[in-house]
Amino acid sequence: EPAVLCDLMASEKVTHLAGVPTVWLGFLGHLDATGIELPALKQAITGGSAPPRAVVERLMKMGVRMMQAWGMTETSPIGTVTCEPEDWDSLSFDEQVTIKTRQGRTPFGIEIRCVDLDDRSKVLPRDGATSGALQVRGPWVVKRYFKAEADATGPDGWFDTGDVALIHPDGTLQITDRTKD
């Protein structure tokens, strides 16, 4: 409930808040409807699905540091996190927003790649333009589901996430769709 959330944030002077894009949309809608401001908010974290660009832009214009975390139960749980590159301060606001709309880079121990949707053995380039099926692997990525007889990963340890994505030359992930869609 956006009104309850905003009241609690104001009374407790909340500086960091995490929520899925639906929470952020409701939160911003409530701010618009009431005209209230929450000056204590410094950092917003989102996950679950990609936030609309307008949400990222709006929060950043409010002076809020925006972060995104992508993962799934099978990645235990983080697969990527957004971060500012070393040249962050020299980028335009529009370029900064673009970076924050992506799902980010992998933490130590996690690898990602995109493969052809029809031929999963064909690894696609990290060119920021070629999209394919997202796969992930690492020491804490699922190998087999509980009581399953077969591995959930291929023989080389790659787990197919069910996402369609592209990887930019700097290693940032951008999820664009689901393979079932």
Side-chain angles (χ1 to χ4, degrees):
E1 185 63 38
V4 173
L5 177 63
C6 288
D7 288 346
L8 182 62
M9 290 174 64
S11 68
E12 298 297 324
K13 296 179 178 47
V14 172
T15 58
H16 291 63
L17 184 65
V20 296
T22 305
V23 169
W24 291 111
L25 287 167
F27 168 78
L28 293 172
H30 181 72
L31 295 183
D32 290 342
T34 61
I36 64 171
E37 293 183 25
L38 295 170
L41 187 61
K42 302 292 180 221
Q43 184 162 347
I45 302 169
T46 189
S49 64
R53 182 178 181 92
V55 168
V56 174
E57 195 170 277
R58 173 90 180 274
L59 288 167
M60 288 177 65
K61 283 182 179 176
M62 292 170 55
V64 176
R65 182 177 182 217
M66 186 70 194
M67 292 184 65
Q68 194 172 162
W70 170 83
M72 50 198 318
T73 301
E74 291 87 350
T75 61
S76 297
I78 300 297
T80 61
V81 177
T82 57
C83 57
E84 291 91 11
E86 67 180 65
D87 64 344
W88 179 256
D89 292 330
S90 67
L91 299 175
S92 70
F93 180 75
D94 189 56
E95 291 169 320
Q96 290 177 346
V97 171
T98 296
I99 288 170
K100 294 296 184 160
T101 60
R102 297 179 187 159
Q103 284 64 54
R105 295 182 184 176
T106 59
F108 176 78
I110 296 291
E111 296 176 81
I112 57 172
R113 71 179 185 182
C114 289
V115 295
D116 188 87
L117 288 165
D118 297 318
D119 178 4
R120 301 294 167 103
S121 67
K122 181 180 176 188
V123 178
L124 300 175
R126 294 172 173 241
D127 59 7
T130 308
S131 64
L134 176 63
Q135 294 183 336
V136 61
R137 75 175 174 185
W140 48 85
V141 174
V142 69
K143 180 178 179 177
R144 181 180 299 124
Y145 289 105
F146 183 64
K147 294 188 179 182
E149 292 185 24
D151 284 351
T153 60
D156 53 1
W158 288 99
F159 176 75
D160 196 328
T161 68
D163 294 303
V164 175
L166 51 95
I167 302 171
H168 293 267
D170 67 356
T172 57
L173 174 67
Q174 184 176 356
I175 296 176
T176 58
D177 207 346
R178 295 284 296 159
T179 56
K180 65 183 177 186
D181 296 337

